[in-house]
Amino acid sequence: MRPFQRLPGARRSLRWKIAALAAATACLVAVAVGVLVHLWTAQDIRSRAQAQAFNRLYSAMDTYRRTHTLADGAELDPAELPTALRHPADGERHTAYDGRVEGNVGPSAWAAQRVDGLGSRVLAVQVNMSPELHTLRRLDMVMAVASLVAIAAAVPVAVYGAGLLARRLRRVSETAGRICAGDLDARTGPTKGRDEVADIAATVDLMADSLGRRLRTERQFTADVAHELRTPVGGLLAAADLLPRGETEDLLRARVRDLRGLVEDLLEISRLDAGAEQPVRAHVPLGAVVREAVARTGLDTEVTVVGAPRGADAEGPEGAHPVGTVETDPRRLERIVANLVVNAHRHGDTPVRVTVDGPTVVVRDYGPGFPADLLREGPRRFHTGAAERGTGHGLGLTIALGQAGLLGAELRLDNAPDGGAVARLRLPH
């Protein structure tokens, strides 16, 4: 079964996405606040300038009517007066905004009024808004700097907060990965906070508890059934041996032997599941063990040992183990090789070839190959895959995979480019 694989860069992606979102939000808030402050301040400056011009015009008009002199910067018919104020209504004061900039005089607010009801002369007052607008630009600059400082402070805080969230999610992800890899005792445990991440962690732990209970129940049931069937199947085989010789007796005996093999396989799987099996390691010649395992199957299989040593060279350096030996449990190794060879003959096609190259044993057939779901999900009990691969109870590869894991070996199943199934067992060395 393929181990759980973490998506590369997923943690960093989530962390920096949250940081980028926080930075973008801070930028939008800063821009919105800056624009609103600028518009409000500009409107306030314009309103106050127009009010100042209006008041100065009132005072200048009162002085002109009493003394016929100009005061408070008032002018009669100034050339710069905006067109809208050149012909104000009789006796009324009007204001207007002039956005022209000439020299040191920037945008201005004007107020104008006719000197008398019958004349055509206009008394006008101009209020220069340049100082106030310069203050507005300084305010804009201060707002921009403050916004940059706020963003610079918000991004590290967002990165730190996203890191805390990512660590909590990573813990849940690692627990789920360990459960997927077969560690049913893995738990996330209590997490800080009472939020959605804590809910996910609690749900994963509950799922693991439920899954563990179901699998333990299934394993116990398998072990109990296999143990209970062992005695009656043995008695059935003994009874079959007492039948008269004939075709019927041979067929019955073969079926009883198949049933006994199934019971033994179930017992072996239950022991592997329970972790009760312990390998007995020894230094053994890999090629010889493989040849012996293939011979015991009684199936026509070609065995090739690559670089097999001969003569004195087989002994290796003084004090070292002979060339071509491995430290493993020979009984379990024979079981793995035999299961792979039987599976190749039962579900594949001849010729079946076994190659020993260093610490690697390759079993190759020329049949339809392993089904796609088996390569994707690994061997499953009582499931033989595609119909074209024949029938069977589907325990051979499961046992081989379990025994390989017990020996610390790697068993990989694949299909050859030119057709056929390939099982590659790599022993530790």
Side-chain angles (χ1 to χ4, degrees):
M1 183 179 297
R2 296 185 178 181
F4 173 79
Q5 295 180 350
R6 188 186 309 279
L7 294 178
R11 297 198 303 268
R12 290 188 294 272
S13 175
L14 176 62
R15 184 174 185 175
W16 291 111
K17 281 181 180 178
I18 294 177
L21 179 61
T25 303
C27 288
L28 289 176
V29 171
V31 170
V33 171
V35 170
L36 290 176
V37 169
H38 176 87
L39 293 177
W40 182 86
T41 305
Q43 182 63 34
D44 181 67
I45 291 174
R46 183 171 176 177
S47 299
R48 286 190 289 108
Q50 289 178 342
Q52 183 181 359
F54 192 90
N55 293 333
R56 286 174 57 184
L57 177 63
Y58 178 83
S59 176
M61 181 61 72
D62 182 65
T63 301
Y64 183 79
R65 284 176 176 173
R66 287 187 292 102
T67 64
H68 294 281
T69 60
L70 299 176
D72 294 325
E75 300 180 58
L76 288 172
D77 299 324
E80 299 86 2
L81 187 65
T83 305
L85 298 180
R86 290 188 179 277
H87 305 286
D90 294 342
E92 295 182 2
R93 290 186 291 273
H94 297 274
T95 60
Y97 172 77
D98 185 6
R100 293 176 297 178
V101 178
E102 297 180 359
N104 295 328
V105 180
S108 304
W110 288 84
Q113 183 181 5
R114 285 191 177 185
V115 174
D116 51 62
L118 300 177
S120 60
R121 305 196 71 182
V122 175
L123 183 67
V125 174
Q126 180 185 18
V127 176
N128 185 12
M129 297 169 55
S130 295
E132 288 78 5
L133 294 180
H134 178 69
T135 303
L136 178 61
R137 286 192 291 270
R138 292 181 60 187
L139 177 63
D140 292 340
M141 183 63 67
V142 171
M143 289 291 297
V145 173
S147 299
L148 293 177
V149 172
I151 294 172
V155 170
V157 174
V159 172
Y160 177 75
L164 295 179
L165 176 62
R167 279 193 289 272
R168 297 175 63 197
L169 290 174
R170 186 188 318 141
R171 184 178 174 186
V172 178
S173 175
E174 289 173 351
T175 301
R178 289 169 58 191
I179 295 173
C180 182
D183 183 6
L184 300 182
D185 294 328
R187 296 294 184 274
T188 303
T191 60
K192 297 180 180 179
R194 303 176 64 180
D195 50 16
E196 289 81 358
V197 178
D199 293 341
I200 293 174
T203 303
V204 169
D205 288 348
L206 290 175
M207 177 195 68
D209 291 338
S210 176
L211 181 61
R213 286 193 299 268
R214 292 186 180 185
L215 288 179
R216 282 191 291 270
T217 301
E218 176 187 338
R219 291 171 178 175
Q220 187 61 42
F221 175 77
T222 302
D224 293 343
V225 169
H227 183 74
E228 294 298 328
L229 286 177
R230 193 174 190 180
T231 300
V233 168
L236 185 60
L237 183 60
D241 290 337
L242 300 177
L243 294 176
R245 296 290 178 180
E247 182 178 351
T248 303
E249 183 270 342
D250 292 340
L251 181 60
L252 179 61
R253 184 178 298 176
R255 293 295 178 265
V256 173
R257 285 199 182 100
D258 290 341
L259 182 58
R260 185 178 66 174
L262 174 58
V263 172
E264 295 296 333
D265 287 347
L266 288 175
L267 284 173
E268 185 171 358
I269 287 179
S270 65
R271 289 193 296 269
L272 290 171
D273 289 340
E277 295 285 276
Q278 294 296 329
V280 180
R281 300 183 182 276
H283 287 278
V284 294
L286 181 57
V289 173
V290 171
R291 290 183 188 276
E292 180 67 19
V294 172
R296 288 183 180 180
T297 64
L299 301 172
D300 184 17
T301 304
E302 176 184 340
V303 180
T304 303
V305 180
V306 178
R310 297 181 180 179
D313 295 338
E315 298 298 329
E318 183 179 356
H321 296 289
V323 178
T325 63
V326 293
E327 184 181 6
T328 188
D329 187 329
R331 183 183 66 83
R332 300 183 190 279
L333 176 58
E334 289 182 3
R335 177 70 159 151
I336 296 172
V337 174
N339 280 14
L340 294 178
V341 170
V342 170
N343 182 82
H345 279 277
R346 179 178 295 170
H347 303 298
D349 198 0
T350 56
V352 176
R353 295 190 173 96
V354 179
T355 304
V356 180
D357 187 0
T360 304
V361 181
V362 180
V363 180
R364 163 79 188 274
D365 67 57
Y366 289 84
F370 291 116
D373 61 339
L374 187 146
L375 296 178
R376 182 175 59 254
E377 302 173 5
R380 290 178 289 171
R381 303 171 188 182
F382 302 102
H383 183 80
T384 57
E388 64 268 15
R389 285 188 59 83
T391 59
H393 49 72
L395 297 180
L397 290 179
T398 305
I399 293 175
L401 189 66
Q403 293 287 13
L406 193 63
L407 295 178
E410 179 186 16
L411 178 58
R412 298 181 63 88
L413 306 179
D414 203 352
N415 289 330
D418 55 345
V422 179
R424 182 174 285 100
L425 175 69
R426 183 174 180 82
L427 296 166
H429 63 289

